């Protein structure tokens, strides 16, 4: 839209579009439908899985303790090839 200094025309265009919005809002109040959400079976299944995951701990304490003990006593060894493969798998 190009405004060429005719502010009254711009204000008039705005008031016309505003009046239409008020009319629509009034008719929407008269109908007053209730909202309803229906989830598919997959959506319900996903919701229950998500709730289970959210209730789980973020860290698996047993596994962390086990690996920490192995690192501390020097028995935790990972080959460079496995590390490289994991890095490439994550990146690509």
């Amino acid at each position: 839209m190009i405004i060429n200094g005719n502010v009254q025309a711009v204000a008039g265009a705005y008031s016309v579009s505003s009046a239409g919005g008020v009319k629509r809002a009034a008719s929407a109040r008269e109908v007053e439908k209730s909202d309803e959400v229906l989830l598919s079976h997959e959506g319900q299944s996903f919701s229950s899985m998500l709730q289970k995951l959210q209730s789980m701990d973020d860290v698996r304490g047993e596994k962390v303790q086990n690996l920490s003990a192995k690192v501390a006593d020097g028995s935790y060894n990972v080959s460079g090839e496995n590390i490289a493969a994991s890095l490439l798998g994550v990146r690509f």
Side-chain angles (χ1 to χ4, degrees):
M1 173 184 191
I2 299 174
I3 300 175
N4 58 5
N6 192 353
V7 176
Q8 291 175 344
V10 173
Y14 181 76
S15 66
V16 169
S17 65
S18 298
V22 172
K23 192 181 293 181
R24 284 190 300 257
S27 66
R29 281 189 212 114
E30 294 171 7
V31 175
E32 289 194 34
K33 292 183 179 179
S34 62
D35 293 334
E36 184 177 2
V37 176
L38 298 174
L39 296 177
S40 66
H41 177 69
E42 291 82 9
Q44 292 172 357
S45 176
F46 177 78
S47 177
S48 66
M49 285 189 289
L50 184 61
Q51 287 175 353
K52 287 178 186 177
L53 286 172
Q54 288 175 339
S55 67
M56 293 174 63
D57 292 335
D58 290 339
V59 177
R60 294 184 284 175
E62 271 183 34
K63 190 166 187 173
V64 170
Q65 288 176 350
N66 187 14
L67 290 173
S68 295
K70 286 183 178 183
V71 168
D73 68 14
S75 63
Y76 184 72
N77 294 316
V78 179
S79 73
E81 290 177 1
N82 289 347
I83 294 173
S86 293
L87 288 172
L88 290 173
V90 169
R91 175 144 179 143
F92 301 105

